[in-house]
mmCIF file of all heavy atoms in Angstrom:
data_model
loop_
_atom_site.group_PDB
_atom_site.id
_atom_site.type_symbol
_atom_site.label_atom_id
_atom_site.label_comp_id
_atom_site.label_asym_id
_atom_site.label_seq_id
_atom_site.Cartn_x
_atom_site.Cartn_y
_atom_site.Cartn_z
ATOM 1 N N GLY A 15 43.778 -38.338 -90.887
ATOM 2 C CA GLY A 15 43.518 -37.582 -92.100
ATOM 3 C C GLY A 15 42.067 -37.156 -92.231
ATOM 4 O O GLY A 15 41.521 -37.132 -93.342
ATOM 5 N N LEU A 16 41.448 -36.799 -91.107
ATOM 6 C CA LEU A 16 40.037 -36.426 -91.127
ATOM 7 C C LEU A 16 39.842 -35.039 -91.719
ATOM 8 O O LEU A 16 40.658 -34.143 -91.509
ATOM 9 C CB LEU A 16 39.469 -36.444 -89.701
ATOM 10 C CG LEU A 16 39.556 -37.772 -88.941
ATOM 11 C CD1 LEU A 16 38.992 -37.593 -87.536
ATOM 12 C CD2 LEU A 16 38.806 -38.872 -89.691
ATOM 13 N N VAL A 17 38.743 -34.870 -92.436
ATOM 14 C CA VAL A 17 38.383 -33.535 -92.904
ATOM 15 C C VAL A 17 37.950 -32.720 -91.694
ATOM 16 O O VAL A 17 37.593 -33.253 -90.639
ATOM 17 C CB VAL A 17 37.262 -33.584 -93.960
ATOM 18 C CG1 VAL A 17 37.755 -34.287 -95.203
ATOM 19 C CG2 VAL A 17 36.017 -34.262 -93.408
ATOM 20 N N GLU A 18 37.937 -31.388 -91.845
ATOM 21 C CA GLU A 18 37.752 -30.499 -90.705
ATOM 22 C C GLU A 18 36.449 -30.707 -89.960
ATOM 23 O O GLU A 18 36.393 -30.574 -88.731
ATOM 24 C CB GLU A 18 37.846 -29.037 -91.175
ATOM 25 C CG GLU A 18 37.822 -28.033 -90.045
ATOM 26 C CD GLU A 18 38.020 -26.613 -90.548
ATOM 27 O OE1 GLU A 18 38.308 -26.449 -91.753
ATOM 28 O OE2 GLU A 18 37.879 -25.680 -89.743
ATOM 29 N N HIS A 19 35.387 -31.051 -90.679
ATOM 30 C CA HIS A 19 34.087 -31.159 -90.017
ATOM 31 C C HIS A 19 33.813 -32.541 -89.422
ATOM 32 O O HIS A 19 32.733 -32.794 -88.909
ATOM 33 C CB HIS A 19 32.953 -30.768 -90.966
ATOM 34 C CG HIS A 19 32.907 -31.549 -92.243
ATOM 35 N ND1 HIS A 19 32.277 -32.757 -92.356
ATOM 36 C CD2 HIS A 19 33.437 -31.274 -93.466
ATOM 37 C CE1 HIS A 19 32.398 -33.205 -93.595
ATOM 38 N NE2 HIS A 19 33.089 -32.323 -94.287
ATOM 39 N N VAL A 20 34.776 -33.454 -89.501
ATOM 40 C CA VAL A 20 34.664 -34.745 -88.817
ATOM 41 C C VAL A 20 35.552 -34.679 -87.575
ATOM 42 O O VAL A 20 36.773 -34.617 -87.676
ATOM 43 C CB VAL A 20 35.080 -35.916 -89.729
ATOM 44 C CG1 VAL A 20 35.065 -37.230 -88.948
ATOM 45 C CG2 VAL A 20 34.148 -36.002 -90.930
ATOM 46 N N GLU A 21 34.927 -34.671 -86.403
ATOM 47 C CA GLU A 21 35.631 -34.395 -85.153
ATOM 48 C C GLU A 21 35.701 -35.631 -84.258
ATOM 49 O O GLU A 21 34.680 -36.259 -83.983
ATOM 50 C CB GLU A 21 34.919 -33.275 -84.390
ATOM 51 C CG GLU A 21 34.845 -31.964 -85.137
ATOM 52 C CD GLU A 21 34.105 -30.892 -84.365
ATOM 53 O OE1 GLU A 21 33.691 -31.176 -83.201
ATOM 54 O OE2 GLU A 21 33.918 -29.790 -84.901
ATOM 55 N N PRO A 22 36.894 -35.988 -83.776
ATOM 56 C CA PRO A 22 37.008 -37.047 -82.768
ATOM 57 C C PRO A 22 36.313 -36.595 -81.482
ATOM 58 O O PRO A 22 36.536 -35.479 -81.006
ATOM 59 C CB PRO A 22 38.514 -37.188 -82.566
ATOM 60 C CG PRO A 22 39.130 -36.594 -83.800
ATOM 61 C CD PRO A 22 38.207 -35.485 -84.199
ATOM 62 N N VAL A 23 35.473 -37.460 -80.940
ATOM 63 C CA VAL A 23 34.671 -37.103 -79.773
ATOM 64 C C VAL A 23 35.122 -37.844 -78.522
ATOM 65 O O VAL A 23 35.264 -37.262 -77.448
ATOM 66 C CB VAL A 23 33.182 -37.396 -80.023
ATOM 67 C CG1 VAL A 23 32.349 -37.126 -78.778
ATOM 68 C CG2 VAL A 23 32.673 -36.574 -81.200
ATOM 69 N N ILE A 24 35.325 -39.133 -78.646
ATOM 70 C CA ILE A 24 35.628 -39.963 -77.476
ATOM 71 C C ILE A 24 36.587 -41.070 -77.884
ATOM 72 O O ILE A 24 36.605 -41.503 -79.036
ATOM 73 C CB ILE A 24 34.328 -40.559 -76.884
ATOM 74 C CG1 ILE A 24 34.481 -40.870 -75.398
ATOM 75 C CG2 ILE A 24 33.883 -41.783 -77.654
ATOM 76 C CD1 ILE A 24 34.366 -39.656 -74.517
ATOM 77 N N MET A 25 37.400 -41.508 -76.936
ATOM 78 C CA MET A 25 38.265 -42.659 -77.154
ATOM 79 C C MET A 25 37.898 -43.725 -76.139
ATOM 80 O O MET A 25 37.628 -43.422 -74.982
ATOM 81 C CB MET A 25 39.742 -42.287 -77.012
ATOM 82 C CG MET A 25 40.702 -43.419 -77.383
ATOM 83 S SD MET A 25 42.465 -42.966 -77.230
ATOM 84 C CE MET A 25 42.629 -41.712 -78.512
ATOM 85 N N MET A 26 37.864 -44.982 -76.577
ATOM 86 C CA MET A 26 37.560 -46.100 -75.696
ATOM 87 C C MET A 26 38.763 -47.026 -75.587
ATOM 88 O O MET A 26 39.366 -47.395 -76.606
ATOM 89 C CB MET A 26 36.394 -46.923 -76.242
ATOM 90 C CG MET A 26 35.096 -46.200 -76.410
ATOM 91 S SD MET A 26 33.859 -47.376 -77.033
ATOM 92 C CE MET A 26 32.451 -46.284 -77.210
ATOM 93 N N ALA A 27 39.089 -47.389 -74.360
ATOM 94 C CA ALA A 27 40.038 -48.476 -74.130
ATOM 95 C C ALA A 27 39.220 -49.755 -74.015
ATOM 96 O O ALA A 27 38.262 -49.817 -73.240
ATOM 97 C CB ALA A 27 40.837 -48.234 -72.859
ATOM 98 N N ILE A 28 39.570 -50.762 -74.802
ATOM 99 C CA ILE A 28 38.803 -52.012 -74.835
ATOM 100 C C ILE A 28 39.767 -53.187 -74.649
ATOM 101 O O ILE A 28 40.817 -53.249 -75.295
ATOM 102 C CB ILE A 28 38.063 -52.167 -76.174
ATOM 103 C CG1 ILE A 28 37.137 -50.968 -76.414
ATOM 104 C CG2 ILE A 28 37.276 -53.480 -76.216
ATOM 105 C CD1 ILE A 28 36.491 -50.947 -77.785
ATOM 106 N N GLY A 29 39.400 -54.109 -73.765
ATOM 107 C CA GLY A 29 40.266 -55.251 -73.564
ATOM 108 C C GLY A 29 39.777 -56.160 -72.463
ATOM 109 O O GLY A 29 38.604 -56.148 -72.097
ATOM 110 N N THR A 30 40.688 -56.941 -71.924
ATOM 111 C CA THR A 30 40.383 -57.916 -70.886
ATOM 112 C C THR A 30 40.753 -57.350 -69.524
ATOM 113 O O THR A 30 41.893 -56.932 -69.306
ATOM 114 C CB THR A 30 41.155 -59.225 -71.140
ATOM 115 O OG1 THR A 30 40.760 -59.753 -72.411
ATOM 116 C CG2 THR A 30 40.874 -60.253 -70.060
ATOM 117 N N GLN A 31 39.797 -57.347 -68.625
ATOM 118 C CA GLN A 31 40.017 -56.800 -67.286
ATOM 119 C C GLN A 31 40.918 -57.716 -66.472
ATOM 120 O O GLN A 31 40.865 -58.943 -66.593
ATOM 121 C CB GLN A 31 38.672 -56.636 -66.582
ATOM 122 C CG GLN A 31 38.754 -55.971 -65.215
ATOM 123 C CD GLN A 31 37.401 -55.918 -64.539
ATOM 124 O OE1 GLN A 31 36.374 -56.197 -65.160
ATOM 125 N NE2 GLN A 31 37.386 -55.560 -63.269
ATOM 126 N N VAL A 32 41.749 -57.118 -65.626
ATOM 127 C CA VAL A 32 42.552 -57.884 -64.674
ATOM 128 C C VAL A 32 42.068 -57.593 -63.265
ATOM 129 O O VAL A 32 41.369 -56.604 -63.021
ATOM 130 C CB VAL A 32 44.054 -57.560 -64.796
ATOM 131 C CG1 VAL A 32 44.596 -57.997 -66.147
ATOM 132 C CG2 VAL A 32 44.315 -56.076 -64.564
ATOM 133 N N ALA A 33 42.448 -58.439 -62.343
ATOM 134 C CA ALA A 33 42.053 -58.268 -60.954
ATOM 135 C C ALA A 33 42.709 -57.021 -60.364
ATOM 136 O O ALA A 33 43.859 -56.696 -60.678
ATOM 137 C CB ALA A 33 42.446 -59.494 -60.138
ATOM 138 N N ALA A 34 41.984 -56.332 -59.499
ATOM 139 C CA ALA A 34 42.510 -55.126 -58.864
ATOM 140 C C ALA A 34 43.778 -55.424 -58.072
ATOM 141 O O ALA A 34 44.666 -54.570 -57.952
ATOM 142 C CB ALA A 34 41.446 -54.510 -57.958
ATOM 143 N N GLU A 35 43.887 -56.652 -57.534
ATOM 144 C CA GLU A 35 45.047 -57.031 -56.724
ATOM 145 C C GLU A 35 46.346 -57.021 -57.519
ATOM 146 O O GLU A 35 47.432 -56.993 -56.943
ATOM 147 C CB GLU A 35 44.837 -58.422 -56.105
ATOM 148 C CG GLU A 35 43.770 -58.476 -55.028
ATOM 149 C CD GLU A 35 42.356 -58.531 -55.574
ATOM 150 O OE1 GLU A 35 42.192 -58.568 -56.826
ATOM 151 O OE2 GLU A 35 41.415 -58.528 -54.764
ATOM 152 N N THR A 36 46.250 -57.059 -58.848
ATOM 153 C CA THR A 36 47.454 -57.059 -59.683
ATOM 154 C C THR A 36 47.945 -55.646 -59.975
ATOM 155 O O THR A 36 48.996 -55.474 -60.586
ATOM 156 C CB THR A 36 47.193 -57.785 -61.014
ATOM 157 O OG1 THR A 36 46.242 -57.027 -61.786
ATOM 158 C CG2 THR A 36 46.630 -59.183 -60.777
ATOM 159 N N LEU A 37 47.178 -54.635 -59.547
ATOM 160 C CA LEU A 37 47.510 -53.245 -59.836
ATOM 161 C C LEU A 37 48.194 -52.610 -58.634
ATOM 162 O O LEU A 37 48.165 -53.144 -57.527
ATOM 163 C CB LEU A 37 46.230 -52.471 -60.191
ATOM 164 C CG LEU A 37 45.367 -53.093 -61.290
ATOM 165 C CD1 LEU A 37 44.078 -52.308 -61.453
ATOM 166 C CD2 LEU A 37 46.135 -53.158 -62.603
ATOM 167 N N GLU A 38 48.780 -51.444 -58.861
ATOM 168 C CA GLU A 38 49.505 -50.769 -57.790
ATOM 169 C C GLU A 38 49.141 -49.299 -57.725
ATOM 170 O O GLU A 38 48.648 -48.716 -58.706
ATOM 171 C CB GLU A 38 51.024 -50.900 -58.005
ATOM 172 C CG GLU A 38 51.542 -52.331 -57.971
ATOM 173 C CD GLU A 38 53.042 -52.401 -58.209
ATOM 174 O OE1 GLU A 38 53.631 -51.352 -58.592
ATOM 175 O OE2 GLU A 38 53.623 -53.480 -58.018
ATOM 176 N N GLY A 39 49.382 -48.696 -56.563
ATOM 177 C CA GLY A 39 49.278 -47.252 -56.388
ATOM 178 C C GLY A 39 47.914 -46.688 -56.685
ATOM 179 O O GLY A 39 46.880 -47.274 -56.354
ATOM 180 N N GLU A 40 47.917 -45.519 -57.329
ATOM 181 C CA GLU A 40 46.677 -44.809 -57.613
ATOM 182 C C GLU A 40 45.764 -45.622 -58.514
ATOM 183 O O GLU A 40 44.534 -45.552 -58.388
ATOM 184 C CB GLU A 40 46.977 -43.454 -58.255
ATOM 185 C CG GLU A 40 45.740 -42.602 -58.479
ATOM 186 C CD GLU A 40 46.048 -41.263 -59.106
ATOM 187 O OE1 GLU A 40 47.233 -40.980 -59.381
ATOM 188 O OE2 GLU A 40 45.090 -40.494 -59.334
ATOM 189 N N LEU A 41 46.347 -46.391 -59.406
ATOM 190 C CA LEU A 41 45.530 -47.200 -60.317
ATOM 191 C C LEU A 41 44.687 -48.193 -59.526
ATOM 192 O O LEU A 41 43.485 -48.323 -59.770
ATOM 193 C CB LEU A 41 46.424 -47.931 -61.313
ATOM 194 C CG LEU A 41 45.718 -48.798 -62.362
ATOM 195 C CD1 LEU A 41 44.701 -47.994 -63.146
ATOM 196 C CD2 LEU A 41 46.741 -49.435 -63.297
ATOM 197 N N ARG A 42 45.289 -48.857 -58.559
ATOM 198 C CA ARG A 42 44.526 -49.798 -57.740
ATOM 199 C C ARG A 42 43.502 -49.060 -56.878
ATOM 200 O O ARG A 42 42.370 -49.523 -56.720
ATOM 201 C CB ARG A 42 45.455 -50.626 -56.859
ATOM 202 C CG ARG A 42 44.696 -51.580 -55.956
ATOM 203 C CD ARG A 42 45.591 -52.578 -55.271
ATOM 204 N NE ARG A 42 44.829 -53.440 -54.379
ATOM 205 C CZ ARG A 42 45.349 -54.458 -53.707
ATOM 206 N NH1 ARG A 42 46.645 -54.753 -53.826
ATOM 207 N NH2 ARG A 42 44.592 -55.194 -52.906
ATOM 208 N N THR A 43 43.902 -47.919 -56.328
ATOM 209 C CA THR A 43 42.975 -47.146 -55.490
ATOM 210 C C THR A 43 41.726 -46.781 -56.267
ATOM 211 O O THR A 43 40.597 -46.943 -55.780
ATOM 212 C CB THR A 43 43.658 -45.875 -54.978
ATOM 213 O OG1 THR A 43 44.785 -46.238 -54.161
ATOM 214 C CG2 THR A 43 42.699 -45.037 -54.152
ATOM 215 N N ARG A 44 41.911 -46.276 -57.484
ATOM 216 C CA ARG A 44 40.752 -45.884 -58.297
ATOM 217 C C ARG A 44 39.920 -47.095 -58.695
ATOM 218 O O ARG A 44 38.696 -47.020 -58.766
ATOM 219 C CB ARG A 44 41.215 -45.131 -59.544
ATOM 220 C CG ARG A 44 41.863 -43.800 -59.252
ATOM 221 C CD ARG A 44 41.868 -42.941 -60.503
ATOM 222 N NE ARG A 44 42.594 -41.701 -60.316
ATOM 223 C CZ ARG A 44 42.559 -40.690 -61.184
ATOM 224 N NH1 ARG A 44 41.846 -40.784 -62.295
ATOM 225 N NH2 ARG A 44 43.244 -39.591 -60.969
ATOM 226 N N GLU A 45 40.584 -48.220 -58.948
ATOM 227 C CA GLU A 45 39.868 -49.423 -59.357
ATOM 228 C C GLU A 45 38.929 -49.906 -58.255
ATOM 229 O O GLU A 45 37.855 -50.448 -58.538
ATOM 230 C CB GLU A 45 40.876 -50.524 -59.718
ATOM 231 C CG GLU A 45 40.326 -51.626 -60.573
ATOM 232 C CD GLU A 45 40.207 -51.254 -62.042
ATOM 233 O OE1 GLU A 45 40.325 -50.046 -62.368
ATOM 234 O OE2 GLU A 45 40.002 -52.143 -62.867
ATOM 235 N N GLU A 46 39.326 -49.713 -57.012
ATOM 236 C CA GLU A 46 38.565 -50.251 -55.892
ATOM 237 C C GLU A 46 37.535 -49.272 -55.334
ATOM 238 O O GLU A 46 36.789 -49.616 -54.422
ATOM 239 C CB GLU A 46 39.525 -50.683 -54.783
ATOM 240 C CG GLU A 46 40.400 -51.873 -55.197
ATOM 241 C CD GLU A 46 41.398 -52.280 -54.138
ATOM 242 O OE1 GLU A 46 41.758 -51.411 -53.300
ATOM 243 O OE2 GLU A 46 41.822 -53.449 -54.125
ATOM 244 N N LEU A 47 37.466 -48.069 -55.884
ATOM 245 C CA LEU A 47 36.471 -47.110 -55.419
ATOM 246 C C LEU A 47 35.064 -47.623 -55.721
ATOM 247 O O LEU A 47 34.821 -48.203 -56.779
ATOM 248 C CB LEU A 47 36.666 -45.754 -56.105
ATOM 249 C CG LEU A 47 37.874 -44.924 -55.665
ATOM 250 C CD1 LEU A 47 37.995 -43.682 -56.536
ATOM 251 C CD2 LEU A 47 37.751 -44.514 -54.195
ATOM 252 N N PRO A 48 34.114 -47.402 -54.808
ATOM 253 C CA PRO A 48 32.736 -47.818 -55.079
ATOM 254 C C PRO A 48 32.107 -46.972 -56.170
ATOM 255 O O PRO A 48 32.485 -45.822 -56.382
ATOM 256 C CB PRO A 48 32.030 -47.599 -53.733
ATOM 257 C CG PRO A 48 32.844 -46.536 -53.056
ATOM 258 C CD PRO A 48 34.265 -46.769 -53.490
ATOM 259 N N ARG A 49 31.143 -47.541 -56.875
ATOM 260 C CA ARG A 49 30.414 -46.812 -57.903
ATOM 261 C C ARG A 49 29.320 -45.968 -57.260
ATOM 262 O O ARG A 49 28.783 -46.323 -56.211
ATOM 263 C CB ARG A 49 29.777 -47.782 -58.897
ATOM 264 C CG ARG A 49 30.770 -48.621 -59.674
ATOM 265 C CD ARG A 49 30.034 -49.555 -60.614
ATOM 266 N NE ARG A 49 29.317 -48.809 -61.652
ATOM 267 C CZ ARG A 49 28.407 -49.350 -62.447
ATOM 268 N NH1 ARG A 49 28.088 -50.614 -62.329
ATOM 269 N NH2 ARG A 49 27.818 -48.619 -63.373
ATOM 270 N N SER A 50 28.994 -44.885 -57.908
ATOM 271 C CA SER A 50 27.888 -44.056 -57.417
ATOM 272 C C SER A 50 27.221 -43.360 -58.587
ATOM 273 O O SER A 50 27.829 -43.174 -59.639
ATOM 274 C CB SER A 50 28.388 -43.017 -56.406
ATOM 275 O OG SER A 50 29.282 -42.101 -57.033
ATOM 276 N N ARG A 51 25.976 -42.988 -58.407
ATOM 277 C CA ARG A 51 25.211 -42.254 -59.413
ATOM 278 C C ARG A 51 24.256 -41.301 -58.705
ATOM 279 O O ARG A 51 23.903 -41.498 -57.542
ATOM 280 C CB ARG A 51 24.386 -43.216 -60.291
ATOM 281 C CG ARG A 51 25.165 -43.938 -61.376
ATOM 282 C CD ARG A 51 25.660 -42.981 -62.436
ATOM 283 N NE ARG A 51 26.196 -43.656 -63.593
ATOM 284 C CZ ARG A 51 27.447 -44.088 -63.702
ATOM 285 N NH1 ARG A 51 28.272 -43.947 -62.690
ATOM 286 N NH2 ARG A 51 27.867 -44.668 -64.807
ATOM 287 N N ARG A 52 23.828 -40.270 -59.410
ATOM 288 C CA ARG A 52 22.766 -39.430 -58.892
ATOM 289 C C ARG A 52 21.510 -40.267 -58.694
ATOM 290 O O ARG A 52 21.271 -41.229 -59.424
ATOM 291 C CB ARG A 52 22.461 -38.284 -59.865
ATOM 292 C CG ARG A 52 23.565 -37.248 -60.011
ATOM 293 C CD ARG A 52 23.135 -36.178 -60.997
ATOM 294 N NE ARG A 52 24.157 -35.164 -61.180
ATOM 295 C CZ ARG A 52 24.275 -34.064 -60.438
ATOM 296 N NH1 ARG A 52 23.402 -33.852 -59.456
ATOM 297 N NH2 ARG A 52 25.228 -33.183 -60.666
ATOM 298 N N GLU A 53 20.700 -39.893 -57.730
ATOM 299 C CA GLU A 53 19.432 -40.571 -57.527
ATOM 300 C C GLU A 53 18.488 -40.244 -58.693
ATOM 301 O O GLU A 53 18.620 -39.210 -59.352
ATOM 302 C CB GLU A 53 18.803 -40.127 -56.209
ATOM 303 C CG GLU A 53 19.617 -40.490 -54.973
ATOM 304 C CD GLU A 53 19.743 -41.987 -54.763
ATOM 305 O OE1 GLU A 53 18.867 -42.742 -55.278
ATOM 306 O OE2 GLU A 53 20.691 -42.416 -54.100
ATOM 307 N N LEU A 54 17.541 -41.142 -58.946
ATOM 308 C CA LEU A 54 16.564 -40.902 -60.006
ATOM 309 C C LEU A 54 15.853 -39.571 -59.825
ATOM 310 O O LEU A 54 15.583 -38.858 -60.792
ATOM 311 C CB LEU A 54 15.530 -42.031 -60.037
ATOM 312 C CG LEU A 54 15.975 -43.368 -60.638
ATOM 313 C CD1 LEU A 54 14.852 -44.386 -60.516
ATOM 314 C CD2 LEU A 54 16.399 -43.198 -62.093
ATOM 315 N N SER A 55 15.564 -39.223 -58.574
ATOM 316 C CA SER A 55 14.846 -37.980 -58.301
ATOM 317 C C SER A 55 15.646 -36.744 -58.693
ATOM 318 O O SER A 55 15.085 -35.660 -58.863
ATOM 319 C CB SER A 55 14.480 -37.900 -56.817
ATOM 320 O OG SER A 55 15.639 -38.002 -56.007
ATOM 321 N N GLU A 56 16.963 -36.902 -58.866
ATOM 322 C CA GLU A 56 17.805 -35.777 -59.262
ATOM 323 C C GLU A 56 17.874 -35.616 -60.774
ATOM 324 O O GLU A 56 18.175 -34.526 -61.273
ATOM 325 C CB GLU A 56 19.223 -35.955 -58.707
ATOM 326 C CG GLU A 56 19.338 -35.932 -57.202
ATOM 327 C CD GLU A 56 20.787 -36.058 -56.764
ATOM 328 O OE1 GLU A 56 21.531 -35.062 -56.893
ATOM 329 O OE2 GLU A 56 21.174 -37.156 -56.317
ATOM 330 N N ILE A 57 17.617 -36.689 -61.514
ATOM 331 C CA ILE A 57 17.798 -36.611 -62.969
ATOM 332 C C ILE A 57 16.488 -36.703 -63.747
ATOM 333 O O ILE A 57 16.445 -36.333 -64.918
ATOM 334 C CB ILE A 57 18.768 -37.712 -63.472
ATOM 335 C CG1 ILE A 57 18.202 -39.114 -63.194
ATOM 336 C CG2 ILE A 57 20.145 -37.547 -62.844
ATOM 337 C CD1 ILE A 57 19.036 -40.232 -63.809
ATOM 338 N N VAL A 58 15.431 -37.202 -63.114
ATOM 339 C CA VAL A 58 14.136 -37.302 -63.787
ATOM 340 C C VAL A 58 13.324 -36.064 -63.444
ATOM 341 O O VAL A 58 12.941 -35.868 -62.288
ATOM 342 C CB VAL A 58 13.381 -38.574 -63.369
ATOM 343 C CG1 VAL A 58 12.036 -38.650 -64.095
ATOM 344 C CG2 VAL A 58 14.221 -39.813 -63.669
ATOM 345 N N VAL A 59 13.076 -35.232 -64.442
ATOM 346 C CA VAL A 59 12.382 -33.960 -64.178
ATOM 347 C C VAL A 59 10.860 -34.117 -64.223
ATOM 348 O O VAL A 59 10.131 -33.233 -63.762
ATOM 349 C CB VAL A 59 12.829 -32.871 -65.182
ATOM 350 C CG1 VAL A 59 14.313 -32.590 -65.019
ATOM 351 C CG2 VAL A 59 12.507 -33.278 -66.619
ATOM 352 N N TYR A 60 10.378 -35.229 -64.764
ATOM 353 C CA TYR A 60 8.935 -35.462 -64.784
ATOM 354 C C TYR A 60 8.674 -36.947 -65.001
ATOM 355 O O TYR A 60 9.368 -37.590 -65.802
ATOM 356 C CB TYR A 60 8.256 -34.669 -65.905
ATOM 357 C CG TYR A 60 6.763 -34.909 -65.991
ATOM 358 C CD1 TYR A 60 5.884 -34.211 -65.164
ATOM 359 C CD2 TYR A 60 6.246 -35.848 -66.875
ATOM 360 C CE1 TYR A 60 4.507 -34.452 -65.217
ATOM 361 C CE2 TYR A 60 4.882 -36.099 -66.936
ATOM 362 C CZ TYR A 60 4.017 -35.397 -66.108
ATOM 363 O OH TYR A 60 2.673 -35.645 -66.155
ATOM 364 N N GLY A 61 7.712 -37.501 -64.295
ATOM 365 C CA GLY A 61 7.239 -38.841 -64.571
ATOM 366 C C GLY A 61 7.702 -39.928 -63.626
ATOM 367 O O GLY A 61 7.267 -41.080 -63.749
#
């Protein structure tokens, strides 16, 4: 029942993590993917 100018932005799933071994298929594949980020030199424009 939100008024028009109050906009949903993001949804969070919150709970207790389970071991990847208990998952199957694509869900397990995605769970086991390594993390990565841009290097600092790519995101820091000065300093």
Side-chain angles (χ1 to χ4, degrees):
L16 301 178
V17 295
E18 187 176 353
H19 56 85
V20 175
E21 300 179 3
V23 176
I24 206 79
M25 186 179 294
M26 300 181 182
I28 303 173
T30 300
Q31 185 184 349
V32 295
E35 291 80 2
T36 66
L37 308 175
E38 297 179 350
E40 185 180 0
L41 181 55
R42 178 169 178 176
T43 298
R44 294 199 186 191
E45 200 78 347
E46 293 177 336
L47 287 174
R49 297 179 66 193
S50 64
R51 282 293 190 275
R52 292 180 180 271
E53 297 296 337
L54 285 177
S55 57
E56 295 182 75
I57 62 173
V58 180
V59 297
Y60 178 83

